[in-house]
Amino acid sequence: GQQLNQSPQSMFIQEGEDVSMNCTSSSIFNTWLWYKQDPGEGPVLLIALYKAGELTSNGRLTAQFGITRKDSFLNISASIPSDVGIYFCAGQLNYGGSQGNLIFGKGTKLSVKP
Amino acid sequence: DSGVTQTPKHLITATGQRVTLRCSPRSGDLSVYWYQQSLDQGLQFLIHYYNGEERAKGNILERFSAQQFPDLHSELNLSSLELGDSALYFCASSVGGAIYNEQFFGPGTRLTVL
């Protein structure tokens, strides 16, 4: 079945640093989504990308939909402590106007550098 | 707060038992999605209902079933529970069943099977 490879699996951040993570797939997706999940809560949508090549920002977050439609990256600039959490990418196929299933990556866990 | 509510928040039960998880979508949303999140499998799509009708099925076991009622709330029924069914179960909702509908996740139900 379709799988998303998300990397890195985990990373440590220091306040003020820029962070980058990405997702790749062997399948083509029509939509890429990035979610953040805090402990004990459900995922929260950060950015949605609908067109190949699209670059979208949401505050300090920037995400891009790869030209091949098989990959996406998320950048966080000038990280702050509340950026800690687990970030998930998700790809979605759309068939003839109907919404396809969301396929999720395994997540990137952001922690604060000790 | 996404506007999606799920009950109960925690559920502890024994193998072989049956449980029902409940979800109320955001006001105005017609679609409900169920996901299972476990440590080894990550977030897996289970099933999608739109306005009372099943729209798509993912990796849902035959022991699991769901329905969406006329008031649009949804229930996920898990029967003949096994240890491996222990996981977080999320419900998400979106406005419609067509493309480009962003999904908003509830806080989840943590199921522990002993």
Side-chain angles (χ1 to χ4, degrees):
Chain A
Q2 295 137 350
Q3 283 192 342
L4 292 184
N5 299 309
Q6 187 171 349
S7 65
Q9 213 169 10
S10 63
M11 57 194 310
F12 288 91
I13 59 172
Q14 199 148 45
E15 190 169 350
E17 283 181 341
D18 294 345
V19 170
S20 189
M21 60 192 79
N22 69 82
C23 265
T24 60
S25 171
S26 56
S27 302
I28 289 174
F29 289 104
N30 298 112
T31 304
W32 280 94
L33 306 161
W34 285 93
Y35 286 85
K36 183 188 179 212
Q37 186 175 19
D38 291 325
E41 298 185 15
V44 174
L45 182 65
L46 300 173
I47 291 182
L49 302 156
Y50 302 114
K51 284 171 55 177
E54 179 181 355
L55 186 72
T56 297
S57 291
N58 177 7
R60 294 178 297 105
L61 307 176
T62 302
Q64 183 157 33
F65 191 146
I67 285 290
T68 64
R69 291 161 63 196
K70 292 184 179 181
D71 63 311
S72 176
F73 72 74
L74 174 71
N75 286 339
I76 305 173
S77 63
S79 57
I80 59 177
S82 62
D83 289 335
V84 161
I86 302 179
Y87 292 78
F88 292 97
C89 63
Q92 185 176 44
L93 289 166
N94 301 310
Y95 304 97
S98 294
Q99 191 175 36
N101 304 343
L102 278 181
I103 312 294
F104 280 85
K106 291 284 175 74
T108 294
K109 184 176 180 180
L110 241 56
S111 306
V112 174
K113 261 184 196 168
Chain B
D1 184 352
S2 66
V4 178
T5 60
Q6 287 187 250
T7 56
K9 195 162 175 62
H10 301 277
L11 198 47
I12 301 174
T13 188
T15 54
Q17 295 298 304
R18 173 191 166 95
V19 297
T20 298
L21 312 184
R22 183 188 166 103
C23 167
S24 292
R26 293 185 320 157
S27 176
D29 284 0
L30 298 179
S31 271
V32 168
Y33 311 80
W34 286 98
Y35 293 86
Q36 179 193 59
Q37 185 177 39
S38 59
L39 280 173
D40 55 343
Q41 292 293 322
L43 262 165
Q44 299 278 317
F45 167 74
L46 296 178
I47 199 163
H48 168 205
Y49 276 84
Y50 173 73
N51 204 20
E53 290 188 7
E54 183 185 302
R55 267 291 176 100
K57 259 184 177 174
N59 301 318
I60 188 166
L61 299 171
E62 283 190 16
R63 299 183 285 109
F64 296 0
S65 65
Q67 53 183 327
Q68 186 180 27
F69 295 87
D71 66 353
L72 301 176
H73 90 271
S74 177
E75 291 180 358
L76 179 67
N77 300 298
L78 316 175
S79 61
S80 303
L81 284 167
E82 302 174 0
L83 295 177
D85 297 328
S86 296
L88 266 168
Y89 290 84
F90 287 104
C91 162
S93 74
S94 68
V95 170
I99 57 174
Y100 305 158
N101 283 298
E102 296 173 10
Q103 298 180 26
F104 295 86
F105 283 76
T109 293
R110 182 173 290 281
L111 173 66
T112 303
V113 182
L114 300 175

